[in-house]
């Protein structure tokens, strides 16, 4: 005869907790970034990937590891900081690196589409230093 239902349910609950905890489903930590945020970062890439090198006077591409590979962990991408417990993007650092090195800002101004940042609902810091942003476009999100 089987044991009392309460003991059986406790055993099932314990096994379930162990499977969820050890199974890597993110309950005790997260591996990788959220798909929605990975896609949103790739939508930002064209706006922040090219910089004019003032010394060589040519365009350069900078976000080399921002790739469209589903197995690529965007939390490890250049300029991206994620929360260690939930994997959400909490920081983006997309400065004009030539500005940081030479003090020379971009020569053209542009309008920022702030709605591109809407998917980052845990974003706490955004570094766009050296970018000559003339203003913002109305939100389209």
């Amino acid at each position: 005869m089987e044991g009392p239902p309460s003991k059986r349910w406790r055993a099932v609950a314990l096994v379930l907790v162990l499977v969820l905890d050890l199974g890597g489903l993110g309950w005790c930590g997260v591996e990788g970034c959220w798909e929605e945020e990975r896609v949103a970062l790739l939508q930002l890439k064209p706006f922040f990937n090219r910089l004019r090198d003032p010394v060589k006077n040519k365009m350069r591409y900078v976000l080399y590891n921002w790739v469209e590979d589903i197995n690529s962990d965007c939390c490890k991408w250049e300029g991206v900081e994620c929360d260690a417990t939930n994997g959400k993007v909490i920081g983006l650092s997309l400065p004009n690196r030539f500005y940081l090195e030479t003090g020379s800002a971009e020569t053209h101004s542009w309008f920022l589409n702030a709605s591109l940042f809407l998917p980052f609902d845990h974003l706490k810091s955004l570094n766009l230093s050296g970018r000559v942003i003339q203003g913002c476009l109305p939100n389209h999100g």
Side-chain angles (χ1 to χ4, degrees):
M1 184 170 202
E2 296 181 35
S6 62
K7 285 186 180 179
R8 253 186 298 154
W9 286 110
R10 275 190 262 154
V12 169
L14 178 61
V15 169
L16 184 61
V17 167
L18 287 173
V19 167
L20 291 175
D21 187 28
L22 300 176
L25 296 178
W27 287 47
C28 290
V30 175
E31 292 182 27
C33 60
W34 290 65
E35 178 65 11
E36 176 183 291
E37 292 184 335
R38 188 181 69 79
V39 169
L41 287 167
L42 290 172
Q43 290 176 345
L44 284 174
K45 183 178 178 178
F47 299 100
F48 297 100
N49 191 38
R50 291 174 37 146
L51 294 174
R52 179 164 296 286
D53 182 339
V55 175
K56 297 183 179 177
N57 197 28
K58 68 178 188 175
M59 296 305 286
R60 295 192 126 176
Y61 296 91
V62 292
L63 301 175
Y64 299 109
N65 64 350
W66 289 37
V67 294
E68 292 193 39
D69 179 356
I70 195 149
N71 296 316
S72 179
D73 179 2
C74 68
C75 291
K76 295 178 181 172
W77 289 356
E78 177 185 353
V80 178
E81 179 186 2
C82 294
D83 185 292
T85 58
N86 64 21
K88 300 291 273 182
V89 173
I90 58 172
L92 288 174
S93 182
L94 303 167
N96 178 340
R97 71 172 57 165
F98 298 115
Y99 169 75
L100 298 176
E101 294 171 5
T102 65
S104 176
E106 292 177 347
T107 56
H108 68 283
S109 61
W110 54 286
F111 287 88
L112 178 67
N113 183 353
S115 67
L116 292 173
F117 294 94
L118 288 175
F120 308 106
D121 54 359
H122 286 73
L123 190 65
K124 295 178 182 176
S125 70
L126 177 62
N127 177 5
L128 301 176
S129 59
R131 304 283 181 168
V132 182
I133 299 171
Q134 187 172 344
C136 289
L137 297 173
N139 282 345
H140 297 285

